[in-house]
Amino acid sequence: MSEKEAAARLLSGRAWDDFLDVLRIAGHTVDRWGDEIGPLERAEWYRFMTRVVRNGCERFMENCEPYRPRLRDAPWKSSINFQSPDQDHFLCEFDEPGDYRITGGRGTIPYFVIAAWSAAQPKDIGARDWAPRGFEGLKEFDPATLKTGAFIQSDTLEFKPDGTFELILSQLPHPGNWLKLEPDSVGLLIRTVYHRRSQEQAPEFRIERLDKAPPRPVQPAEVASNLAKAAQEVLGYAELVRSWWQDNLSKRPNRLRFSRATYLSNGGVPDRHFAFGTWSIKDGEALTLQFKPPECEYWIFQLCNVWQENLDNYEDGQGYVTKFTARYESDGTVKIVIAQRDPGIGGNWIDPFGHRLGGMGLRLIKTDRPPPVTAHLVPLEELASKGWNCLDPARAIMSGEIVP
């Protein structure tokens, strides 16, 4: 019955109208910031909305055919949730888990991780109107809130001598490389990690159904469901960036906090530690951070805008610093300055590219324990004239705390 209702909603145009109404609700989420944000942030919000719409349509309208699975990279510029420029995200969506085979080669990249994820997803998605539920509907159906299940790291996979591999994904155990799917698994995510992207060969991944079911034409009920998924993802991300900022991160300005719960709440993989925070500097101020990275596969400190997007100057190699681009002190410490201009005192200057506030993140992959982080908010001219010696330990902002 729900499939007939879903098909009828699509063919009558009702599913399309509901899709547009949900997008309208999501777009007006920005109104809840009031005067806290300026014209730059508001302009980026509406651009962010178009990017999330692209992401949702790519994932659920173009890449959600049950008999033609694919692993597709996220759309260009769709950098949701503090995405590292040294990582690519390959996704595959499915309504219910079958048995699959992934084959491919790692290229020359040092590391990747393959994870299965679950999300709240009612069976009658396409048969219902979601716009009247508004944000309350996310409690039942939120494609942006993902739970990672089983995952497998590239350094635990068995590779053939030529660098290729085969991985079986199924609910029942399988000999060799195997990733467990749960009854509520709705998709896969492969995170690839580059150290120096320009010097490394990209990996290749292919996925297929083991039952060899042939492709078939799209069905009206599926399109109704996928429209609902795409719209609810936009609404879910609108609420996610709002709640992360207003209910959590902005309550600790210019501080980082390593929270396992926050990171894993949106499909994170527990092979890394991730500290999230917000930064805020006025004209003539500078925010400095100092930490000593532990041994790890990779680390990155990055600035993002309020909407957790990578800054536009990432394309110029600015806005972030990594394990492989950072300037280190003689004792291995990393010093970072966030300011509208380079104070010229060494360390690592990060240009906020016209922003006065936003999100910041410190990600460390494959390490046991993240480092403490010391921050100072100081006048930029004082920092430029006196250097690092002007940082008073008594005025330090202690950061990098670890919470569940």
Side-chain angles (χ1 to χ4, degrees), residues 20-30 45 49 130-135 235 238:
L20 296 178
D21 288 341
V22 172
L23 297 188
R24 186 173 294 108
I25 294 169
H28 282 286
T29 305
V30 71
W45 167 264
M49 285 286 95
W130 293 96
R133 294 171 170 81
F135 291 100
L235 188 68

Side-chain angles (χ1 to χ4, degrees), residues 254-325:
N254 296 326
R255 288 173 171 81
L256 289 164
R257 171 181 283 183
F258 289 96
S259 170
R260 211 68 163 160
T262 299
Y263 175 57
L264 296 179
S265 69
N266 190 38
V269 179
D271 67 339
R272 60 200 67 192
H273 290 278
F274 205 138
F276 298 99
T278 62
W279 59 275
S280 176
I281 56 173
K282 299 177 183 177
D283 288 338
E285 287 184 332
L287 177 66
T288 71
L289 299 102
Q290 299 182 53
F291 61 93
K292 187 173 183 178
E295 287 294 322
C296 60
E297 175 75 32
Y298 172 91
W299 66 260
I300 179 173
F301 174 83
Q302 60 190 121
L303 293 188
C304 291
N305 63 16
V306 174
W307 321 122
Q308 303 180 13
E309 293 183 297
N310 298 346
L311 301 184
D312 290 340
N313 62 354
Y314 275 36
E315 286 192 74
D316 310 317
Q318 250 292 352
Y320 66 95
V321 62
T322 78
K323 175 181 178 179
F324 301 98
T325 64

Side-chain angles (χ1 to χ4, degrees), residues 65 185 220 396-397:
E65 296 180 63
S185 295
I397 305 171

Side-chain angles (χ1 to χ4, degrees), residues 224-271:
S225 295
N226 292 342
L227 279 173
K229 291 177 185 178
Q232 285 291 107
E233 184 194 56
V234 177
L235 188 68
Y237 277 119
E239 172 59 13
L240 184 146
V241 298
R242 186 213 63 77
S243 64
W244 277 35
W245 183 274
Q246 294 185 334
D247 302 339
N248 186 354
L249 304 183
S250 67
K251 297 182 181 301
R252 299 178 302 279
N254 296 326
R255 288 173 171 81
L256 289 164
R257 171 181 283 183
F258 289 96
S259 170
R260 211 68 163 160
T262 299
Y263 175 57
L264 296 179
S265 69
N266 190 38
V269 179
D271 67 339

